[in-house]
Amino acid sequence: ENLLLQNSLKVLLTEKGSNPFYPWYGSTIRSRIGAKSLGFVAGMLREDVKVALQKVRQVQTTQSKYQEVTRKERMYAIRNVEVYPHRDDPTTYMVNVEVQNASADPVSLSVVFTPPGVAAKLGRTKFLVAPNG
């Protein structure tokens, strides 16, 4: 499950096109942070998360042809993607994701995306990501 969590976070936090060997890998989430059209941005972020996580599933399918991918580490389904602006800063977005592995166990992750130069004090298992920093 930890590997599934790590793979999911990695694809969300990697800027699409930043790896010259795998330009298709990553997400476009960072390019959307800081925009003013709140409802529109949240919807696009939700879609970006889903598309990026589908890439994890595709990579795992290909990977399983050449090496073992255990049921615990293999993504079976994207159960829920929740995106909403932070209550104190509408340009900062909270992203909560729940996926299901092939063993039918839920795996949850939370990420906070902020515009450049914004600092935040976060609790427990949240991750702070500044798009250009």
Side-chain angles (χ1 to χ4, degrees):
E1 291 173 7
N2 286 337
L3 188 54
L4 176 56
L5 177 64
Q6 181 182 14
N7 288 338
S8 299
L9 282 170
K10 184 176 179 181
V11 77
L12 295 177
L13 300 177
T14 300
E15 189 171 342
K16 189 174 185 175
S18 65
N19 184 331
F21 299 104
Y22 304 101
W24 49 266
Y25 185 82
S27 72
T28 55
I29 293 171
R30 291 177 166 196
S31 66
R32 303 197 195 283
I33 302 302
K36 299 291 184 196
S37 181
L38 301 179
F40 180 70
V41 172
M44 292 194 71
L45 289 174
R46 189 174 300 107
E47 190 60 30
D48 288 344
V49 168
K50 289 179 182 179
V51 167
L53 292 175
Q54 289 295 340
K55 288 291 182 194
V56 170
R57 288 182 65 197
Q58 291 171 0
V59 167
Q60 288 178 332
T61 298
T62 302
Q63 179 185 5
S64 68
K65 294 176 185 177
Y66 305 102
Q67 71 184 72
E68 181 184 6
V69 179
T70 68
R71 294 175 64 78
K72 292 272 189 188
E73 72 186 76
R74 187 170 186 142
M75 184 183 304
Y76 177 74
I78 301 166
R79 296 174 81 181
N80 187 36
V81 177
E82 187 178 54
V83 178
Y84 55 94
H86 189 274
R87 69 176 183 268
D88 297 328
D89 181 1
T91 61
T92 296
Y93 287 88
M94 316 297 281
V95 178
N96 297 316
V97 177
E98 184 177 316
V99 297
Q100 178 182 340
N101 66 18
S103 293
D105 298 324
V107 176
S108 299
L109 62 109
S110 296
V111 184
V112 178
F113 290 97
T114 66
V118 173
K121 185 176 181 181
L122 303 172
R124 294 190 302 206
T125 60
K126 303 285 186 196
F127 296 89
L128 174 63
V129 179
N132 296 321

